[in-house]
């Protein structure tokens, strides 16, 4: 239905972040869209008729209003102000991943975010790992670079 792509650079003591957001509002092919999901949810709740379709402009306005509020919280208090809400909504908790490094494979389970902001995972023995993307980006199934954590 949608996705977010962020890129950042660090120069002269500050970060510059570019955020791209894509959201499929009304095209039901090849997967689904926001309007189709709203209609399905209304039917689940027993609505007698579907809701009127949202326009791209309505969705964009709502997204930007919410983004501005979150950006303000982030600028004032940093990511820790957003961390609990972020972790409630993300999809990675408990996700099984395979770490491949130097010919060795380790089965891991995602447990959260490390203080650095990278993914935190544990092996079957409870040994914590901090997962860093390689130069080609984060791939949950191959080529993750990791750093063992000694403590949090």
């Amino acid at each position: 239905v949608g996705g977010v792509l962020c890129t950042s650079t660090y120069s002269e003591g500050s970060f510059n972040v570019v955020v791209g957001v894509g959201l499929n509002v009304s095209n039901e092919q090849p997967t689904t869209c926001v309007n189709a999901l709203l209609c399905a949810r209304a039917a689940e709740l027993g609505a007698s008729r579907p809701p009127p379709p949202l326009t791209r402009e309505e969705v964009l306005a709502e997204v930007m209003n919410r983004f501005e509020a979150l950006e303000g919280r982030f600028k004032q208090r940093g990511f820790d102000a957003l961390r609990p809400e972020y972790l409630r909504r993300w999809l990675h908790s408990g996700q099984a991943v395979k770490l491949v490094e130097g010919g060795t494979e380790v089965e891991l389970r995602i447990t959260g975010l490390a203080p650095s902001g990278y993914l935190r995972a544990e092996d079957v023995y409870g040994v914590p790992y901090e997962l860093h993307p390689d130069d080609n980006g984060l791939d949950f199934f191959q080529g993750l670079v990791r750093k063992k954590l000694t403590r949090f």
Side-chain angles (χ1 to χ4, degrees):
V1 173
V4 176
L5 179 62
C6 297
T7 185
S8 65
T9 57
Y10 183 78
S11 177
E12 298 178 15
S14 67
F15 284 96
N16 295 306
V17 180
V18 176
V19 179
V21 178
L23 190 59
N24 183 356
V25 175
S26 58
N27 183 8
E28 293 186 42
Q29 298 299 323
T31 57
T32 191
C33 64
V34 172
N35 282 325
L37 294 173
L38 291 174
C39 288
R41 183 67 176 145
E44 286 174 12
L45 296 173
S48 60
R49 60 182 174 198
L54 296 172
T55 66
R56 289 180 291 190
E57 293 80 8
E58 289 169 323
V59 173
L60 179 60
E62 186 64 27
V63 167
M64 292 309 298
N65 284 334
R66 290 178 184 238
F67 181 81
E68 284 180 343
L70 293 171
E71 179 189 30
R73 283 174 44 201
F74 177 78
K75 284 181 175 179
Q76 288 178 344
R77 301 190 314 249
F79 182 69
D80 283 341
L82 304 175
R83 184 184 298 265
E85 185 176 348
Y86 177 81
L87 292 175
R88 269 194 311 274
R89 296 175 187 268
W90 82 332
L91 304 174
H92 301 295
S93 289
Q95 182 177 0
V97 296
K98 185 184 297 181
L99 171 65
V100 179
E101 184 178 40
T104 304
E105 292 185 5
V106 180
E107 298 289 330
L108 302 174
R109 191 152 305 277
I110 303 296
T111 58
L113 290 176
S116 65
Y118 291 111
L119 288 176
R120 184 181 190 279
E122 290 182 357
D123 65 16
V124 294
Y125 304 105
V127 175
Y129 289 76
E130 188 172 294
L131 304 178
H132 297 248
D134 61 17
D135 291 338
N136 298 315
L138 184 60
D139 182 334
F140 280 111
F141 302 105
Q142 295 181 19
L144 292 176
V145 177
R146 64 106 174 126
K147 176 177 74 174
K148 276 191 181 178
L149 298 177
T150 54
R151 59 188 156 90
F152 269 113

